[in-house]
Amino acid sequence: MPWPFDAASDAASASTTMSEMERRMRSFPWETTPVGPVSGWPQSLKSAVRTVLDLRLPAYLAWGDGYVQFFNDAYLPILGDKHDAALGNDSRVTWSEIWPTIGPMWEQVRQGAALGSEGLPLTINRYGYYETCYFSYSYSPIYGDSGKVEGVLVTFADITKAVLGERRRDYQVKLADTLRRETEFGPMLKATIGLTSEYFTNSNVAYVELDEGKRTFTVKEEWKDGVETGGAQGTLPIDMLSPNQLDALRGGATICINDVSTDPECAAVAKPCLMLGIHSVVVIPLKDGDRLHGAGFLYKDHAYRWTIDERSLAEDLARRTWEALRRIRAEEALREETRMLELLNRAGKVLASTLDIDTLLQSVTDAATELTGAEFGAFFYNGKDANGDAYLLYTLCGASREAFEGFGHPRPTAVFAPTFNGGPPIRSDDITKDPRYGSMGPHHGMPKGHLPVRSYLAAAVSSRSGEVLGGLFFGHSQPKMFDERTEQLIAGFVAQAAVAIDNARLYDLAQRAAREREGILASERAARAEAERHSKMKDEFLAMLAHELRNPLAPITNAAQLLRMPSVDENLRLKASSIISRQVRHMTELVDDLLDVSRVTRGLVKLETETLELSGVLRAAVEQARPHIEERKHALTVEAPMRQVVVAGDRTRLVQVLVNLLNNAAKYTPQGGKITLRLEAGPEQARMTVIDNGAGMDAKLLPHVFDLFTQAERTPDRSQGGLGIGLALVKTIVQMHGGQVEAHSDGPNLGSSVSVLLPLTQETDASVAPAPLRATTAARPVAPCTLTIVDDNVDAAQSLAVLLREQGHTVHVFDGAMRTLASTDIADTHAFILDIGLPDMTGYELARRLRRDHPTASFIALTGYGQARDRDLSKQAGFEHHLVKPVEFRALADILARLPQCQPPVDTAQTGVAQEPDIAGVS
């Protein structure tokens, strides 16, 4: 029987064609291993070992808990230098570098699973260096005599050459596509370096440019595994290479180092290289003619033996890419030269296109900024005013005027003085590091909030007479953006600009004289036009008086006709008499008011303010307007809330407002139309709206409907009358009450609505007759709360605190967020009332921080920001309520009354009864 079934090493049955590994296994001292002498092996182990020896594919067996190894001849090349120590040894020791990968897989096999796949990448160390190989493998469980898995049988094929060949072909196709597709230097460099880093896995790929003057390499791109490393724009000293290595690169030779720490040429620079993660490296020279322009770097952070294939491929791709980059750079240089010539040509046309000095200065600034490629450009120009006094003005490009208004004009510092004195151009790669920079106070450098200028270029603009007209200044946020070429271009441009400015100044002097003459004539024409306008306004004012006096005449006429009727009884006579008396009295007041109309529109009339319940104002207005409405057979509906709506205002003026609106609605609504007078009460404002289904308004008219003498197009018979002053008076009177007006219409013949909004008041007046009440719940009493107010407007905060303390609340006041957070007095706060626009932190952020320590407190925003976006932000920050300044105190008191922290004990006896005003729903 073959070995190991016949355990004798010199068995007669031994074959003369015995393999190398069978010969070694026969003589191996197995008694020194966990499997013991061959004679004691179980039948299952002997069968598995025999199978391994008979297999022609590379195969090995790991047996028992000690993973004792057995393998055949075909497996020896895989082991490399490890083959002498591998037989009978623990697989975990032999393949320690890949055990984290294959160990978990073997554990599955020991549980009875069979595994296998193609193209498994493993980085192994079999010749003293790491290399990545690819295998197609099969892991099979080997069962012992007891039926339990005792070993792992591995068969595989090394497909590294096939995989690398396929990857190389794919990579070369992608590289060719990239070189063909990209047409700009930067994108092509990124694409090719990134693609190369994907191919050379676990390697850094970098493109560096050599600066012989500074003796540095500048890293332009660096990638690893298809991702940028962030090393771009870094620099490496040229001394990272030895003189011999540098000479080799200049001669076009590639440098290949497997281990920096052991290479004699790297002895002097090994330590800094290792600190940078450069343990093994390939450096490929990139030459432009005879000059070494830069290099391609391919390096790893561990010792690595670069294969001839890897090195040749790296050289090939570097040189192919470099040729494409050189071609693109030449094309870009040609395009840039063409662009510069076009810019110069266009700039010259701009300078010749205008004689207006302001337009010219801005054109000079824009053209020069584009010419230099600056982010920011400014032209500070010495001008003269009408009296001949000198002053400094400026134009900007790439920045708003707000960017300069807070800093004043440039002063004669060491940086600016040479330009304003007519010196040669000044150029700095980084002005913040220039020795002339920051030598004068108060800023000693760039003021806070200044544009982020690093690259700096300035040129004086001088006239033909030698006078310094000003200076052109250019900046960029990145260093080294202006070169000698840029300086030469701007020097030529300022000479052209100076000639154009000289010509424009002469033209400006001539134009100024002409404007002075024209100004005198224009003043005479304006005086005549003003006199004519005043005459026209006088006529329009008299017509306006007649317009407004007609309103109270309708109820007087109706009452007079009623008195003439033979069947009038005493009650009707008294009612008619009362109407006439009331309307005559109102007409007398109205005449006095109308005589004051010019002062009303100029805001000079003082209101007779009292506390008013608006349902009474509605009743008075309806009474005055009803004859006009009934005359046109309109249906009038009056809607009012169930509770009283109280404002502070002038009763006569507010009645006048509503009568104007009702009469307008009646006038512009066809007979038999519908008119609604609606009163609504919001948390802070009352809204009175007159709605009709009449002629409506064109969208073009809506923005001007409240302007004086504005009217829709009249009918030929002027049957609607009016001079367009009604809504203008409405607007002025409402604004005097602190309110506002709004108009809306969906279009012609679709009706319209006009609203009057007035602020509510908390004041009460015993003379105001309360409207009848309907049942509702009375206002609940408020238990004293502890409140914290944060507002940088101290007066607003303190006045609000006084009002709240009068309600019995305990109030803490702070003018900043940080003081609030640092205070110990706010520990028991029930509600925080926060401004949003605080100086040291937004109210949103303050609310978020306070909520961490005060999870049960309520948060109320009290701010001048009232847009929908502001309300959304306050809601997101955790505010339960959003009040807009100036806030109606009653609205805040209502919020506090609803807070659960401020609720008094429930007293079911505290209820009240109110009635709905009798005006509601009247038709």
Side-chain angles (χ1 to χ4, degrees), residues 789-800:
I789 300 174
V790 185
D791 194 332
D792 59 335
N793 187 327
V794 178
D795 291 339
Q798 292 293 350
S799 60
L800 179 59

Side-chain angles (χ1 to χ4, degrees), residues 196 200 206-208 249 252-256 281-287 292 294-298 310-319 322:
T196 304
F200 290 100
Y207 165 74
V208 302
L249 289 177
T254 297
I255 298 171
C256 183
V281 63
V282 176
V283 185
I284 304 165
L286 303 175
K287 298 183 66 177
L292 180 63
F297 272 68
L298 178 64
E310 289 174 327
R311 173 175 168 172
S312 62
L313 178 62
E315 290 175 328
D316 177 63
L317 71 92
R319 285 169 184 149
W322 177 237

Side-chain angles (χ1 to χ4, degrees), residues 287-445:
K287 298 183 66 177
D288 195 349
D290 293 333
R291 184 176 68 90
L292 180 63
H293 181 88
F297 272 68
L298 178 64
Y299 67 92
K300 292 180 180 289
D301 59 3
H302 56 270
Y304 181 79
R305 180 177 175 273
W306 300 98
T307 66
I308 295 176
D309 284 347
E310 289 174 327
R311 173 175 168 172
S312 62
L313 178 62
E315 290 175 328
D316 177 63
L317 71 92
R319 285 169 184 149
R320 287 175 61 191
T321 302
W322 177 237
E323 288 304 316
L325 290 173
R326 286 181 60 200
R327 184 190 72 251
I328 288 177
R329 179 168 278 176
E331 293 172 352
E332 288 181 345
L334 180 60
R335 287 197 298 268
E336 179 63 15
E337 186 68 22
T338 303
R339 187 182 73 87
M340 284 297 178
L341 291 174
E342 291 175 350
L343 285 176
L344 285 170
N345 182 50
R346 189 161 68 248
K349 291 180 179 178
V350 167
L351 296 181
S353 65
T354 181
L355 288 173
D356 177 72
I357 189 66
D358 293 332
T359 304
L360 179 62
L361 293 178
Q362 187 62 58
S363 298
V364 166
T365 309
D366 294 341
T369 303
E370 184 179 11
L371 195 63
T372 60
E375 277 186 303
F376 325 112
F379 185 13
F380 285 87
Y381 166 75
N382 296 310
K384 291 185 179 181
D385 59 19
N387 299 322
D389 297 327
Y391 67 102
L392 193 64
L393 54 83
Y394 61 91
T395 54
L396 300 171
C397 180
S400 64
R401 296 192 74 84
E402 289 78 4
F404 279 81
E405 287 175 348
F407 306 118
H409 294 145
R411 297 174 299 121
T413 62
V415 173
F416 293 131
T419 302
F420 286 118
N421 292 334
I426 292 179
R427 174 167 55 92
S428 175
D429 287 342
D430 190 343
I431 194 63
T432 62
K433 298 178 181 178
D434 194 291
R436 295 165 292 187
Y437 176 78
S439 60
M440 291 183 62
H443 303 295
H444 293 287

Side-chain angles (χ1 to χ4, degrees), residues 643-647 681-686 758-764 779 782 800 803-804 807 883 887-898:
R643 63 183 182 88
Q644 289 187 338
V645 182
V646 181
V647 301
E684 298 181 12
Q685 288 182 317
L758 297 172
L760 296 173
T761 181
Q762 288 184 308
E763 298 179 7
T764 58
V782 183
L800 179 59
L803 291 172
L804 291 170
Q807 300 293 317
L883 300 177
V887 69
E888 178 67 30
F889 182 73
R890 184 169 63 183
L892 177 58
D894 288 346
I895 290 173
L896 294 177
R898 294 194 299 271

